[in-house]
Amino acid sequence: MDENLEGLIQAVVYSNDETGWAVLRVACEDGSMHTAVGHIPAPAPGETISATGQWSQHPAHGTQFSVRSADRLLPAEAGAILEYLSSGIVQGVGRATARLLVEAFGDQTLDVLEHEPQRLSTVRGITPKRAQSIGALFARQTSLRRLMETLVRHELTPSYALELSKRYGVGAADQLVEDPYQLLYEPYDAPFEQVDKLAASLGVEDGDERRLKAGLLYELIFNLDQGHVYLPREKLIPAAAALLGQEEDALEGALQELFCDNKVVACDDGPIYLTRLYDAEKHVAAFIRERSGRTHPLPRDMDDLIGRIEAELGIEYAESQREAIISAAGRSLMVLTGGPGTGKTTTLRGLLRLFDWMGLKALLAAPTGRAAKRMSELCDREASTIHRLLEFGYDPALGVLRFLRDEDNPLAADVVVLDEVSMVDILLMDSISRAVSEGARLILVGDPDQLPAVGPGTVLEDILEAAPSVRLTEIFRQAAESRIVTGAHSVNRGETPPLKNDQQKDLFFLRRRDMLSAVGTIQELCAERLPGNLGIEASQIQVLTPTRRGPCGTVSLNKALQEALNPEAPHKLEKRFGEFLYREGDRVMQIRNNYDLTWRQGESAGMGVFNGEIGTVTEIDLKASLLSVSFDDRLVEYPFDSLGELEPAYAMTVHKAQGSEYRAVVLAVMPGPQKLMTRRVLYTAITRARDYLIIVGQDEIIEAMVRNDKRLRRYTGLKGMLADA
């Protein structure tokens, strides 16, 4: 049976802005002091709390009151108001200013702040402009707290309130009541079940059209993360009906409304798209068709030029490499593919030299910062991320953040070369196709046997069906001496790579039968054996695993590797957020695109940090509630409430490692979900290693992965659109 605890919040021992979890010291009227723990967002000393819950005994902290629900009142007495305002709850009001306000207005201070902020200017040192600012900040804080409490009551993280407040200001609560289902969409991406509970509490009935439309849109959005560009009608309607607990017929009217609102597009043969996805596929298909048929005149002395390139680079091109160079020089669009060791980079370097001699300006880019850096090193010229190439930034005319390079402002280049195109989804390909100028060549480079993009579509595979392409298959002599290269090709052919250890080789297998010994071996490899025996710094070693969960998943491995590589120390500050503890010196990864984050690079600045970028925690400022990360040469400051966008990166999934290459890779191969233990995952993992690959785990799991060539089907219309032409 629930009990009650009422009193004054004397102190906030701990408060997490992301989860709303807090530990409070509460002073009761009888003079007793108690510890209250639970979801109590944005608490401040001086507030009165009336909580419902249960008393419990904590083994370390003693008797606590576990809060199930809580109501709070702003302080009404001058002394409590002083404590409340002195806590920093209102930005720009410290203890000195709080004392001046309470001395001037006493018990009426908060009422003046909320309803008559202009009166603050009568206080010594507060100008009319500052009075207006303090009043506005207090109103926003009050609104934000109420919004947070509403969300927490419905098991929604209070961090959504920060985004709502940023967008709507003090009217955020009213906007949420008008359409609670907006929390399902960007930038919130909240879980449907919790949003649905919130909507029900706000009076939205089961058959409300807002709810039915939200269910249909949610299914389409959710399946983008599964790689699907669209859903067939016969899949969408039953899935949404099951989600909503409605009859399928009830959804037809809501679907028609979405058509009329231009939120979705339906094709004659059944596919139903989000409109922006349909537009993207149509545009990319038209671009590929048009550019595939366009040619450019070749230099008259082509054979002589290729000979000069061979002499300059000290190589002799194979016939397929010569074919690729000639095709790329003479076409508006060409795709170059091939596995490791087949000479893609050597071919590309020669092609770039040819373009130099032809007087053509080439721009190079790749999907991630690491892939771009690798491309730059291998080709000996500057390369950028695709997002930087397309110049993501603020458009003052439209008042939005977007790619500034498009049809009206195309890239200033005669040739655009994109590497690791297997990672490019349909939305990014659409943006690229709009930015390539009318007369420019586009060269796409990638390996279709790697994992597909994390986002929707199978762009590289689909384009290969229709565009001019050259696939390099010959493994050159030097590469053939590498077990990493030959092992990758063995896996691709459905053969288990050689697992016998040889000190002269670059691929090693360490058999471990249980999870704990595998984790211990991985810790030892990264902290001692690889740095000590081979001179490989920990920063040049990447641990990969197919899974997130389990003892050999990224969550557990990151905690074990943090302990081994960056242990607790008196001089290192820490910040716990969710399931992770961040420490100064940690390697971290951005896990979603954030176009609003600003970065500094010396005297310059820019916007946007993108999924997969790796950095190091350089500073944790507990007073300012900021965590600083250095991404190579760019410094980004994360407010503590934004730390959900970061994850430790000592270990990462194979999917997250796409496009990157590391001097040494340690691959954990232990039992996991069958859909992740596939040939394609193993092949992608092996090809991430440059000098050394150490596989730790069970050989029977490796053999099972080689046998498992199942590829989950993605619903994409690009291949059909290209075939129809």
Side-chain angles (χ1 to χ4, degrees):
M1 183 175 176
D2 280 344
E3 299 183 71
N4 296 317
L5 175 68
E6 293 187 8
L8 190 72
I9 298 177
Q10 195 76 27
V12 177
V13 179
Y14 173 79
S15 178
N16 186 312
D17 292 335
E18 195 265 343
T19 63
W21 185 264
V23 179
L24 311 177
R25 295 290 287 164
V26 178
C28 298
E29 282 189 1
D30 61 6
S32 61
M33 186 78 72
H34 302 286
T35 299
V37 299
H39 288 99
I40 311 161
E47 293 179 331
T48 299
I49 184 170
S50 176
T52 300
Q54 300 246 323
W55 292 99
S56 62
Q57 194 70 23
H58 191 278
H61 304 297
T63 303
Q64 296 182 339
F65 188 81
S66 298
V67 176
R68 187 176 61 80
S69 64
D71 291 318
R72 287 178 289 158
L73 295 175
L74 291 176
E77 183 269 328
I81 292 173
L82 176 61
E83 289 303 312
Y84 177 75
L85 293 177
S86 297
S87 70
I89 196 73
V90 180
Q91 187 179 346
V93 177
R95 190 163 192 88
T97 303
R99 187 176 297 281
L100 289 172
L101 293 176
V102 173
E103 286 175 355
F105 303 111
D107 296 352
Q108 303 302 310
T109 301
L110 297 185
D111 190 61
V112 171
L113 276 169
E114 185 170 7
H115 301 294
E116 300 177 281
Q118 68 277 7
R119 289 179 59 192
L120 302 182
S121 62
T122 63
V123 175
R124 176 171 51 85
I126 298 181
T127 64
K129 183 177 181 180
R130 190 181 175 206
Q132 183 180 10
S133 173
I134 291 173
L137 288 168
F138 179 75
R140 181 181 181 275
Q141 178 61 32
T142 303
S143 168
L144 182 61
R145 191 193 67 167
R146 291 168 181 160
L147 194 57
M148 284 181 167
E149 290 174 339
T150 299
L151 293 171
V152 166
R153 278 199 298 271
H154 295 89
E155 301 175 19
L156 285 159
T157 171
S159 61
Y160 298 131
L162 299 172
E163 287 290 344
L164 286 164
S165 182
K166 187 190 303 182
R167 182 174 184 181
Y168 297 118
V170 294
D174 293 336
Q175 292 293 330
L176 186 62
V177 170
E178 184 175 324
D179 182 15
Y181 290 104
Q182 65 181 291
L183 290 176
L184 298 173
Y185 318 129
E186 291 182 348
Y188 317 106
D189 299 321
F192 185 88
E193 184 180 358
Q194 278 77 27
V195 175
D196 205 31
K197 287 180 181 177
L198 171 64
S201 75
L202 296 173
V204 178
E205 296 181 356
D206 283 356
D208 190 298
E209 192 173 81
R210 289 175 296 174
R211 181 171 185 265
L212 302 185
K213 290 196 292 186
L216 290 162
L217 289 175
Y218 179 78
E219 285 295 337
L220 291 170
I221 293 169
F222 173 81
N223 278 282
L224 295 180
D225 289 336
Q226 316 307 309
H228 301 305
V229 182
Y230 70 81
L231 286 181
R233 178 186 282 263
E234 64 270 20
K235 297 281 187 182
L236 172 61
I237 297 294
L243 176 73
L244 297 165
Q246 297 286 309
E247 295 296 324
E248 293 182 19
D249 291 346
L251 292 169
E252 291 296 339
L255 188 57
Q256 289 301 319
E257 283 294 319
L258 290 173
F259 296 151
C260 295
D261 295 341
N262 200 33
K263 295 286 182 65
V264 301
V265 172
C267 299
D268 293 339
D269 52 350
I272 297 176
Y273 289 82
L274 292 166
T275 301
R276 64 191 175 101
L277 273 298
Y278 178 77
D279 291 343
E281 278 204 337
K282 290 289 285 185
H283 185 269
V284 170
F287 175 86
I288 297 300
R289 290 197 305 265
E290 196 273 333
R291 296 299 174 103
S292 293
R294 191 186 297 183
T295 59
H296 298 272
L298 291 170
R300 294 180 181 177
D301 54 347
M302 191 69 182
D303 289 338
D304 180 54
L305 286 174
I306 293 177
R308 287 166 59 190
I309 293 169
E310 290 175 321
E312 184 177 303
L313 298 179
I315 59 170
E316 182 177 344
Y317 281 121
E319 189 57 39
S320 58
Q321 292 177 302
R322 296 175 69 90
E323 178 192 349
I325 292 172
I326 294 170
S327 179
R331 292 186 174 276
S332 283
L333 175 68
M334 200 277 282
V335 186
L336 175 63
T337 71
T342 57
K344 291 197 303 294
T345 300
T346 306
T347 304
L348 186 55
R349 289 176 63 198
L351 185 55
L352 292 171
R353 291 296 298 125
L354 176 64
F355 288 142
D356 289 342
W357 286 333
M358 292 171 65
L360 301 178
K361 178 183 177 182
L363 293 178
L364 281 61
T368 67
R370 283 186 172 268
K373 186 176 182 180
R374 175 170 167 258
M375 189 184 191
S376 181
E377 291 168 351
L378 293 174
C379 295
D380 196 26
R381 60 183 68 203
E382 184 179 355
S384 71
T385 64
I386 294 173
H387 284 81
R388 285 198 192 179
L389 179 75
L390 299 181
E391 297 179 19
F392 185 84
Y394 182 73
D395 183 341
L398 297 176
V400 297
L401 290 164
R402 69 177 187 88
F403 288 124
L404 302 180
R405 293 291 183 176
D406 57 14
E407 302 98 321
D408 300 321
N409 182 30
L411 292 165
D414 304 300
V415 183
V416 177
V417 182
L418 302 182
D419 197 9
E420 298 289 352
V421 179
S422 62
M423 297 177 65
V424 174
D425 64 28
I426 189 63
L427 291 171
L428 189 54
M429 189 65 215
D430 180 45
S431 296
I432 292 163
S433 66
R434 295 177 187 276
V436 177
S437 64
E438 185 66 23
R441 296 166 172 82
L442 176 62
I443 299 167
L444 305 177
V445 184
D447 183 351
D449 294 317
Q450 289 186 28
L451 290 165
V454 174
T458 51
V459 170
L460 180 59
E461 290 181 38
D462 294 349
I463 290 177
L464 278 170
E465 295 288 323
S469 63
V470 176
R471 183 182 181 101
L472 305 179
T473 57
E474 179 182 347
I475 304 176
F476 291 94
R477 183 178 59 82
Q478 187 174 355
E481 296 174 359
S482 164
R483 273 196 187 160
I484 294 173
V485 171
T486 57
H489 285 278
S490 295
V491 169
N492 222 11
R493 293 192 301 268
E495 302 167 3
T496 302
L499 299 178
K500 292 182 180 179
N501 292 332
D502 182 338
Q503 295 301 315
Q504 304 302 314
K505 295 298 181 180
D506 52 6
L507 189 156
F508 302 90
F509 173 62
L510 303 180
R511 183 179 288 103
R512 297 294 182 269
R513 307 311 301 175
D514 64 89
M515 297 282 191
L516 289 180
S517 63
V519 172
T521 298
I522 291 168
Q523 285 179 300
E524 186 183 355
L525 284 166
C526 295
E528 300 171 22
R529 292 169 65 175
L530 289 173
N533 298 340
L534 297 175
I536 303 175
E537 297 177 11
S539 61
Q540 298 174 314
I541 304 167
Q542 185 60 57
V543 175
L544 300 181
T545 174
T547 67
R548 279 185 53 80
R549 298 298 170 186
C552 281
T554 57
V555 175
S556 295
L557 280 175
N558 271 311
K559 292 175 182 177
L561 289 166
Q562 182 190 52
E563 181 182 324
L565 299 173
N566 188 32
E568 181 181 3
H571 64 281
K572 294 179 182 178
L573 294 179
E574 300 175 346
K575 170 64 180 175
R576 182 168 293 282
F577 187 88
E579 60 187 334
F580 298 118
L581 175 70
Y582 296 96
R583 183 175 293 141
E584 289 176 339
D586 276 344
R587 186 193 304 177
V588 293
M589 173 173 54
Q590 176 78 13
I591 60 170
R592 63 176 64 92
N593 291 338
N594 187 326
Y595 302 104
D596 295 327
L597 274 176
T598 57
W599 49 262
R600 297 196 314 275
Q601 186 179 31
E603 297 299 316
S604 62
M607 299 187 73
V609 182
F610 304 107
N611 189 2
E613 293 199 50
I614 306 290
T616 302
V617 177
T618 57
E619 182 183 5
I620 296 176
D621 188 333
L622 298 175
K623 280 190 175 181
S625 297
L626 292 173
L627 182 146
S628 299
V629 178
S630 175
F631 293 98
D632 292 326
D633 52 352
R634 293 174 301 136
L635 188 67
V636 180
E637 291 183 339
Y638 289 81
F640 284 169
D641 56 34
S642 297
L643 293 184
E645 300 198 353
L646 290 174
E647 280 188 1
Y650 298 107
M652 66 176 71
T653 63
V654 177
H655 283 80
K656 286 289 187 183
Q658 283 178 268
S660 299
E661 185 182 70
Y662 309 93
R663 187 176 174 197
V665 166
V666 177
L667 174 63
V669 181
M670 298 295 281
Q674 189 175 15
K675 67 177 183 179
L676 296 175
M677 313 305 286
T678 68
R679 181 188 301 176
R680 213 169 186 183
V681 168
L682 182 59
Y683 173 79
T684 302
I686 292 172
T687 55
R688 300 308 91 207
R690 188 183 77 201
D691 297 339
Y692 295 98
L693 171 67
I694 301 92
I695 303 176
V696 179
Q698 300 176 8
D699 43 2
E700 57 265 38
I701 299 299
I702 298 173
E703 293 165 1
M705 292 179 77
V706 172
R707 291 193 302 270
N708 183 7
D709 195 29
K710 185 176 181 180
R711 302 188 180 191
L712 297 176
R713 180 190 174 188
R714 292 185 169 197
Y715 291 115
T716 165
L718 181 59
K719 186 182 294 186
M721 292 177 185
L722 291 169
D724 289 344

